[in-house]
Amino acid sequence: MAISHASQCGVGKVGIDAFVSLADRKFFAGGVCKTNTQLPGKVVVITGANTGIGKETARELARRGARVYIACRDVLKGESAASDIRADTKNSQVLVRKLDLSDTKSIRAFAEGFLAEEKQLHILINNAGVMLCPYSKTADGFETHLGVNHLGHFLLTHLLLGRLKESAPARVVNLSSVVHHVGKIRFHDLQGEKRYCGGLAYCHSKLANVLFTRELAKRLQGTGVTTYAVHPGVVSSELVRHSFLLCLFWRLFSPFVKTTREGAQTSLHCALAEGLEPLSGKYFRCVVAVWVSSSTLLHLCMCGTRTPWALHQVPEFVSVDGIQVWVGPVNQLWFLFQRNLC
C-alpha cells in the first residue's frame, strides 16, 4: 500500500516527539543511585514509608536485604505498603511500627519500643513530611510544618543516636528541599502565630533540616555516624494533597515531574554510596553534593537580616541553665530545640 508524503511526515513527527519526550523524561528524572551495595544483616528505619518516596526507598533497601522498619502514623496503610514490598522483594523482614511525628509522646514510644526490639540501627531516613497545611498545631503546640517536618525528626534522631553510634558505621538522611533557600528561621515567631503562610512554613521547616544536618555532622565527627540532607526533586506524590492547584499542576506537567521511584534516588545514594563520609553534613540534589555557603545559610536563618555576616561576627546569646552561652544562628537553633524537646 502506498503511503503519502504527509503520512510519512506525520509518522516522523510522532517519532521525533516521542524521542524528545523520552529525552525530557531522562533529563527531569535526575540522577540515579548506581551503587551495588547489599544490606544483609543491616537495620533501617524510614519515617513515612507507607507511601511515596519513602515507600520506594523502603522497597529498594528491602530488595538489598535490609531489615526495614516502616515508621508511620497510619498503620493500616503501612501494613499494606509492607505487604506489597514483601511480595515484590521476597524479603519478609519489612516491619511496620506506629509513629506520629506530630506527637512527642508517640515519638518517644516508638523509640522506646524500637530500642527494646533492635540492638542495631545502621540507617535512619527522616523522610516523612507535610506540605501546605492549613494553620494548625501539633499535640505539643508547635506549628505543624515545623513540628512534623523538623522537630519530630530532631527528637527521633536524638533518641536513636546512641544506637546509631553503637552500630557505626551508620548514616542519617534528612529529607529537605530546594525551597529551603526561601526559608528563614523566624525566632520571634516560630509557631507562625503572628503571620502564617503554608508555603513559607514548609520552606522554613526544610531550611531547619539543612541547618540540623550541618550541625549534627559537626557533633558526630569521629563517631562513625554521618548525616546528609537531601532534595528529592519535584515528585508526584501525596505530599501536595492539601493544594488543589499543585495537584492540578502536577497532572498538567506530569512529563516534567519525577515519579516516586525517581524521587527516591538521592535518598538511596546518601544511604548506600561508598566513600560519602567526607561529605557528612552536605546537601545533596540529583545524587550530587551541592555546595551551600555558610554566609548563605546565615543570611537565610537570621530572621530576615540581609547582611551575610560570617559566623564569628554574629554574637547571639542564649541562657542555658542560667548561664549566658554565645552561639551562632545554627547553634542557636540546636540549643533552642534541644532545650524544649530532649
Side-chain angles (χ1 to χ4, degrees):
M1 180 184 294
I3 301 177
S4 69
H5 176 69
S7 297
Q8 290 176 343
C9 289
V11 171
K13 184 177 185 302
V14 170
I16 291 172
D17 287 347
F19 174 79
V20 172
S21 178
L22 178 62
D24 286 344
R25 280 301 312 140
K26 291 185 72 174
F27 174 78
F28 286 102
V32 177
C33 175
K34 297 180 179 180
T35 180
N36 294 318
T37 301
Q38 297 301 305
L39 301 172
K42 302 298 184 182
V43 180
V44 179
V45 170
I46 310 176
T47 66
N50 58 311
T51 187
I53 296 171
K55 181 180 177 182
E56 292 307 313
T57 304
R59 188 192 306 277
E60 183 58 32
L61 297 179
R63 183 174 285 119
R64 293 170 185 252
R67 180 177 172 89
V68 178
Y69 281 83
I70 294 176
C72 59
R73 182 172 56 87
D74 191 328
V75 175
L76 289 179
K77 281 189 177 181
E79 291 291 356
S80 176
S83 178
D84 177 42
I85 293 171
R86 286 192 291 262
D88 184 31
T89 64
K90 311 305 180 195
N91 182 347
S92 62
Q93 298 297 296
V94 181
L95 310 170
V96 180
R97 299 292 181 268
K98 184 174 179 61
L99 171 65
D100 184 350
L101 288 162
S102 68
D103 186 346
T104 56
K105 290 182 180 178
S106 176
I107 298 169
R108 292 180 188 279
F110 169 83
E112 183 179 353
F114 175 83
L115 293 174
E117 189 173 358
E118 288 288 346
K119 300 305 178 187
Q120 290 187 308
L121 175 59
H122 302 95
I123 301 172
L124 170 62
I125 301 181
N126 291 320
N127 166 86
V130 294
M131 182 180 183
L132 296 172
C133 299
Y135 186 77
S136 59
K137 289 185 176 182
T138 68
D140 303 278
F142 301 117
E143 187 278 316
T144 297
H145 293 88
L146 184 67
V148 172
N149 296 350
H150 177 64
L151 292 178
H153 286 126
F154 179 100
L155 177 59
L156 178 65
T157 304
H158 173 79
L159 295 173
L160 299 180
L161 210 49
R163 193 55 42 92
L164 285 161
K165 291 177 181 178
E166 293 169 1
S167 309
R171 294 185 180 182
V172 179
V173 179
N174 296 316
L175 270 284
S176 182
S177 169
V178 69
V179 300
H180 80 268
H181 289 294
V182 184
K184 296 176 183 176
I185 305 302
R186 304 173 68 240
F187 288 106
H188 63 287
D189 188 24
L190 276 177
Q191 312 312 331
E193 294 171 329
K194 298 178 182 177
R195 185 178 63 185
Y196 179 76
C197 168
L200 287 177
Y202 178 77
C203 299
H204 302 336
S205 69
K206 293 303 180 178
L207 170 60
N209 284 352
V210 171
L211 297 175
F212 172 49
T213 301
R214 288 168 64 89
E215 184 62 26
L216 185 62
K218 293 178 184 176
R219 292 169 181 255
L220 291 177
Q221 286 179 358
T223 66
V225 181
T226 52
T227 181
Y228 312 91
V230 166
H231 168 54
V234 180
V235 181
S236 177
S237 72
E238 293 182 9
L239 187 63
V240 298
R241 63 187 178 275
H242 293 292
S243 171
F244 171 77
L245 288 178
L246 273 184
C247 288
L248 180 61
F249 179 87
W250 261 224
R251 284 181 175 274
L252 291 174
F253 295 93
S254 58
F256 311 106
V257 176
K258 290 184 179 183
T259 65
T260 52
R261 183 175 181 277
E262 292 164 348
Q265 296 304 304
T266 305
S267 294
L268 290 167
H269 175 76
C270 289
L272 297 170
E274 302 89 345
L276 284 190
E277 289 75 15
L279 298 177
S280 183
K282 300 298 184 183
Y283 166 71
F284 283 72
R285 185 178 66 206
C286 294
V287 306
V288 175
V290 182
W291 182 74
V292 180
S293 69
S294 297
S295 61
T296 299
L297 288 170
L298 289 173
H299 166 71
L300 289 168
C301 75
M302 285 193 59
C303 313
T305 299
R306 296 291 178 183
T307 308
W309 293 324
L311 184 61
H312 68 276
Q313 294 175 304
V314 189
E316 297 283 351
F317 293 86
V318 296
S319 178
V320 180
D321 293 329
I323 302 172
Q324 291 294 308
V325 179
W326 178 87
V327 293
V330 174
N331 278 338
Q332 186 181 30
L333 188 67
W334 178 280
F335 271 105
L336 179 65
F337 294 161
Q338 193 169 50
R339 287 281 292 169
N340 282 278
L341 289 174
C342 304

